[in-house]
Amino acid sequence: MPAPIRLRELIRTIRTARTQAEEREMIQKECAAIRSSFREEDNTYRCRNVAKLLYMHMLGYPAHFGQLECLKLIASQKFTDKRIGYLGAMLLLDERQDVHLLMTNCIKNDLNHSTQYVQGLALCTLGCMGSSEMCRDLAGEVEKLLKTSNSYLRKKAALCAVHVIRKVPELMEMFLPATKNLLSEKNHGVLHTSVVLLTEMCERSPDMLAHFRKLVPQLVRILKNLIMSGYSPEHDVSGISDPFLQVRILRLLRILGKSDDDSSEAMNDILAQVATNTETSKNVGNAILYETVLTIMDIKSESGLRVLAINILGRFLLNNDKNIRYVALTSLLKTVQTDHNAVQRHRSTIVDCLKDLDVSIKRRAMELSFALVNGNNIRGMMKELLYFLDSCDPEFKADCASGVFLAAEKYAPSKRWHIDTIMRVLTTAGSYVRDDSVPNLIQLITNSVEMHAYTVQRLYKALLDDISQQPLVQVASWCIGEYGDLLVSGQCEEEEPIQVTEDEVLDVLEGLLVSNLSAAVTRGYSLTAIMKLSTRFSGVNRIKKVVSIYGSSIDVELQQRAVEYNALFKKYDHMRPALLERMPIMEKSASNGPTEIVQTNGETEPSVVDSKHPPPVSQPANQANDLLDLLGGNDVVPVIQTTVPTKPASAGGELLDLLGDLSLTIPPMTAYNKNGLKIDFTFERANPNPNVAVITIHASNSTEADMTDFVFQAAVPKTFQLQLLSPSSNVVPALNQGTVTQVIRVLNPQKQQLRMRIKLTYTLKGSPVQDLAEVNNFPPQSWQ
Amino acid sequence: WIRFILIQNRAGKTRLAKWYMQFDDDEKQKLIEEVHAVVTVRDAKHTNFVEFRNFKIIYRRYAGLYFCICVDVTDNNLAYLEGIHNFVEVLNEYFHNVCELDLVFNFYKVYTVVDEMFLAGEIRETSQTKVLKQLLMLQSLE
């Protein structure tokens, strides 16, 4: 059998292959040759063959048949053999191979070999890929080598110990005695690896951490020597002596000083020294400074030092090297919570970073900018952030938009500014805005009463330009539905009112319905908006037509709405105005504020509009039925309620939770007692608003028969506002077997004497009964 | 600590792959491909740090070769950047103005250099003179 070709030959040959197929052919041929050579148990050329095999493995071809051969090579006496053998082991024999364990014995022998290079090879292999079993077996050997005087071996042994500890943490104790003298080494390499070993031990075990705290003074001294001592050519990098060692010591100091006052104090000086003396013109110096800053921020340093650290970071931001800017932004992000004021000083630099070209820098700058926004800088910051929103990549837009909304909500200097900002976001990044921002915006707009005309005008104009951005379209159509009358009447104070006719508005809304760009949800919004306009506009016929067309729409959601609205026109026309009234202010904190209520027709019949209510969030109009309960009356207006007693209105439920905190001892009273029906009032004060009195009525029936279809209605004088929540039931059981309760909330800002007119309707023994009464005997505490 | 060190050329061919953490063969292949994809699209206006899975990669391009080190998120980026440069300078010295072909034909020697400077995922020896001395000693044993 001719001698196998040399490695060089093989490489050269393979490189001449022009196609993948050609290469594969050559490799297969050579593999076959190698395989037969292995079978012959040829010692001389084994090394060469395995080397070739490893090369082919690096190219991506399978080489598992060489595993055993590697073992044989390791066991050989020749250094070259061992070298390739160990390399092969590291490349081919990972933990999952069965052959792996067979190496243990070989490594053990080699760890005790006479030649340090062989020992080194063994340590290296063990340190790179030793499995837990191997580590357990060989830890003792490693520990022995850790104590040897040979610095070459000590370095390797230290890092090998690190690997052992990572694999088998319980063995950490074993290495403890050997670490005693590690730091007194002069050899930088040994020092470096020792520090790494100590770091690993401290990170893994709090006991070790406590134990090694006493080394802090020693570490400080070493660091000091490093900085002060003169030129040491061996470990010098660009004029700084052994920056790698400095960085590692700083890191160990960080771990030791965390949450420990004494150690932190011992470090303060040296940290300040490093921070001020290190040369910053090259990356090396900056690497050390960066580690120093991280350490200062983590330990319990004094505030002067912290400010120094943040100033260093600020200087980094101005550096030309983008790596350094990136690193600075990342660290500032971590510290902005704790050292907010110091970071604020660098705000303008951070904002400039928004314009950087690198994506990760931009992202961090954006996050940091949002963290720095406060009441004073909101206008300036927002201008920059909006500009950023315009020009940034799509991946940022969603986060940026949400951030802008949050910041605007917290710090908006005026309502108009707030609405303008929102408009700007919607028009520039409308399609990236998160889904939950639409209801939030709607709530915000509803609550800014004086801005309604301005808002709806601007939204209308935006719609004219562009109907592709769904969140914008949804908010706009909702607003037009609510405030369309303001739009048409042209009463805008903030800016030049535009002349819009009802037909134009309806054109726009109908356009949304038919457009391909509109999502199904958006169509729902616009149909409801059109419906609402039926009470605000004069031309109802057109609206009726539109609504009836969609009664046969394919989209089930639209169809259902259209059918219900149709029913509203036909059978329940008298209820339509009440149902489609203006939304009240949605309660967030205070429950004050006049709501613009369109006069109702004084309906007494309980509604039987049995519309099913799909999830409330994106269909605010359907909430009108729920919220009817919340509508207060400005006049002596009876309030309509639903007769769905077991399902409390969604907002009503929350309100009930708000109630019941404070209760002054206001005595209960009997409001009505006639024909066997008795109605008692009990009182509470609503928290947090002391002007709201909460009255719970208890209706009981002392006759022999149940009172069914029981409806309680109440009206109050002009200065009051009333909210009536759902009753617990509409059957008052006979013979006082139970009560029907219902909650009334009365807002009494002027603290006038409370008066109420109540109307009761029920059916007793088949015949309807109706009664009106005045309630004047409210105890004085209820309205004072 | 370092998870792996990769040297790749622009075409995606691996010139060196040193793993300090356990991966399956197909995982290794996937990682190599992913790293290549992430690193080759970046140019001079990007930083030398990339977030990669739940680690980060510190890389630097020298001529047609990308030297990539995958480390923990908490490690010091700038220090490892210096580490890469240190390593490349040693290679340069050892192979006398190193080029890609040197790394191809002497791949096993490159591994030796790596093993002299890094071990168990940590930087072991930082003094270039010392490393070169060791390498020459080892070479004489062959």
Side-chain angles (χ1 to χ4, degrees), chain A residues 482-501:
Chain A
E482 277 291 302
Y483 312 118
D485 46 333
L486 294 177
L487 183 60
V488 174
S489 63
Q491 15 154 298
C492 181
E493 297 150 1
E494 301 278 338
E495 61 174 27
E496 194 60 38
I498 55 176
Q499 304 302 327
V500 185
T501 65

Side-chain angles (χ1 to χ4, degrees), chain A residues 263-401:
Chain A
S263 319
S264 307
E265 187 149 342
M267 293 178 214
N268 271 329
D269 286 337
I270 190 69
L271 288 174
Q273 205 173 7
V274 173
T276 38
N277 285 351
T278 312
E279 174 82 34
T280 58
S281 52
K282 292 266 182 90
N283 185 46
V284 203
N286 289 325
I288 299 180
L289 278 179
Y290 179 53
E291 194 74 33
T292 316
V293 166
L294 288 179
T295 304
I296 294 179
M297 301 318 287
D298 255 359
I299 66 174
K300 292 189 182 277
S301 47
E302 48 185 34
S303 61
L305 205 51
R306 292 180 91 88
V307 172
L308 178 62
I310 296 197
N311 286 344
I312 293 179
L313 289 178
R315 253 203 329 250
F316 274 4
L317 281 180
L318 298 166
N319 196 307
N320 284 333
D321 189 344
K322 50 190 158 11
N323 292 331
I324 297 183
R325 286 208 297 273
Y326 173 91
V327 145
L329 282 173
T330 319
S331 320
L332 281 172
L333 204 51
K334 280 188 246 169
T335 60
V336 75
Q337 303 303 328
T338 44
D339 295 272
H340 192 95
N341 292 331
V343 182
Q344 277 281 4
R345 246 175 270 150
H346 302 281
R347 197 181 64 240
S348 45
T349 336
I350 294 174
V351 167
D352 279 336
C353 288
L354 281 174
K355 309 194 182 88
D356 200 290
L357 293 166
D358 182 286
V359 156
S360 28
I361 290 187
K362 275 202 275 212
R363 175 170 284 279
R364 276 164 180 70
M366 179 180 86
E367 286 173 19
L368 204 47
S369 305
F370 279 125
L372 287 177
V373 169
N374 64 23
N376 294 332
N377 55 33
I378 177 83
R379 282 192 197 262
M381 288 292 273
M382 201 48 83
K383 208 161 58 176
E384 292 287 339
L385 287 167
L386 285 173
Y387 180 71
F388 174 67
L389 185 62
D390 270 337
S391 53
C392 68
D393 298 327
E395 54 187 279
F396 288 127
K397 290 211 184 196
D399 290 328
C400 192

Side-chain angles (χ1 to χ4, degrees), chain A residues 427 458-468 472:
Chain A
T427 43
R458 285 209 60 188
L459 284 170
Y460 179 75
K461 281 199 270 196
L463 263 194
L464 288 177
D465 280 332
D466 170 27
I467 59 170
S468 63
L472 175 63

Side-chain angles (χ1 to χ4, degrees), chain A residues 699-744:
Chain A
S700 51
N701 169 11
S702 57
T703 69
E704 299 157 343
D706 292 342
M707 295 173 175
T708 55
D709 300 318
F710 174 75
V711 175
F712 174 89
Q713 287 166 317
V716 287
K718 263 198 193 132
T719 51
F720 297 83
Q721 276 188 12
L722 188 74
Q723 287 175 349
L724 199 57
L725 305 178
S726 302
S728 60
S729 135
N730 59 354
V731 175
V732 192
L735 299 171
N736 293 327
Q737 281 166 22
T739 55
V740 169
T741 53
Q742 195 166 4
V743 176
I744 311 173

Side-chain angles (χ1 to χ4, degrees), chain A residues 412-583:
Chain A
S414 78
K415 288 228 158 119
R416 165 155 180 183
W417 181 93
H418 196 167
I419 292 189
D420 281 341
T421 309
I422 293 177
M423 293 278 319
R424 178 90 185 269
V425 174
L426 284 180
T427 43
T428 50
S431 16
Y432 301 98
V433 165
R434 288 206 225 278
D435 291 334
D436 59 354
S437 32
V438 171
N440 288 340
L441 290 177
I442 289 180
Q443 180 175 40
L444 175 67
I445 294 175
T446 316
N447 292 351
S448 345
V449 174
E450 63 277 13
M451 304 295 307
H452 284 166
Y454 170 72
T455 313
V456 70
Q457 187 164 294
R458 285 209 60 188
L459 284 170
Y460 179 75
K461 281 199 270 196
L463 263 194
L464 288 177
D465 280 332
D466 170 27
I467 59 170
S468 63
Q469 311 213 62
Q470 298 305 296
L472 175 63
V473 173
Q474 286 168 10
V475 174
S477 37
W478 188 93
C479 279
I480 294 179
E482 277 291 302
Y483 312 118
D485 46 333
L486 294 177
L487 183 60
V488 174
S489 63
Q491 15 154 298
C492 181
E493 297 150 1
E494 301 278 338
E495 61 174 27
E496 194 60 38
I498 55 176
Q499 304 302 327
V500 185
T501 65
E502 294 182 1
D503 275 326
E504 284 172 347
V505 174
L506 286 173
D507 281 340
V508 169
L509 287 175
E510 282 186 49
L512 291 176
L513 275 175
V514 300
S515 161
N516 285 337
L517 296 167
S518 303
V521 169
T522 314
R523 292 212 179 90
Y525 269 89
S526 66
L527 186 59
T528 308
I530 294 178
M531 188 60 195
K532 281 197 231 176
L533 289 175
S534 70
T535 48
R536 292 156 175 72
F537 282 0
S538 47
V540 181
N541 290 326
R542 179 169 173 184
I543 298 179
K544 275 196 195 163
K545 244 195 329 209
V546 172
V547 167
S548 58
I549 292 176
Y550 280 90
S552 43
S553 154
I554 297 183
D555 183 334
V556 176
E557 172 69 29
L558 277 185
Q559 187 189 89
Q560 177 176 346
R561 289 187 192 213
V563 164
E564 289 169 10
Y565 294 152
N566 252 335
L568 209 50
F569 274 124
K570 299 209 174 77
K571 286 201 276 177
Y572 300 101
D573 202 42
H574 48 274
M575 300 208 57
R576 192 164 44 89
L579 276 174
L580 300 175
E581 279 176 359
R582 253 307 184 262
M583 283 294 189

Side-chain angles (χ1 to χ4, degrees), chain B residues 20-139:
Chain B
Y20 292 106
M21 187 166 127
Q22 201 51 256
F23 292 111
D24 275 336
D25 272 339
D26 37 343
E27 275 180 321
K28 285 185 189 170
Q29 194 54 37
K30 229 169 54 164
L31 281 168
I32 289 178
E33 281 164 18
E34 263 187 61
V35 171
H36 178 248
V38 165
V39 155
T40 36
V41 288
R42 294 167 74 90
D43 58 16
K45 63 180 199 293
H46 288 105
T47 59
N48 292 63
F49 320 121
V50 193
E51 272 147 44
F52 178 74
R53 300 202 182 180
N54 44 353
F55 307 118
K56 64 182 170 197
I57 294 195
I58 312 216
Y59 73 96
R60 208 181 212 161
R61 182 175 169 185
Y62 291 89
L65 287 175
Y66 288 94
F67 288 74
C68 310
I69 297 191
C70 174
V71 294
D72 271 331
V73 205
T74 48
D75 283 332
N76 185 334
N77 297 359
L78 303 174
Y80 276 110
L81 208 51
E82 284 302 312
I84 293 181
H85 193 69
N86 212 20
F87 174 54
V88 171
E89 282 191 331
V90 168
L91 283 178
N92 200 28
E93 201 48 51
Y94 186 54
F95 289 110
H96 307 295
N97 289 328
V98 68
C99 65
E100 188 174 342
L101 273 186
D102 286 325
L103 302 183
V104 172
F105 277 94
N106 297 300
F107 70 93
Y108 55 96
K109 289 193 188 163
V110 181
Y111 274 102
T112 315
V113 178
V114 174
D115 287 333
E116 278 300 309
M117 298 188 75
F118 302 92
L119 207 166
E122 301 282 354
I123 299 181
R124 182 175 82 73
E125 180 57 71
T126 55
S127 157
Q128 294 179 16
T129 36
K130 286 219 176 106
V131 174
L132 285 165
K133 210 165 68 173
Q134 296 295 1
L135 290 173
L136 290 172
M137 278 297 295
L138 284 166
Q139 204 168 292

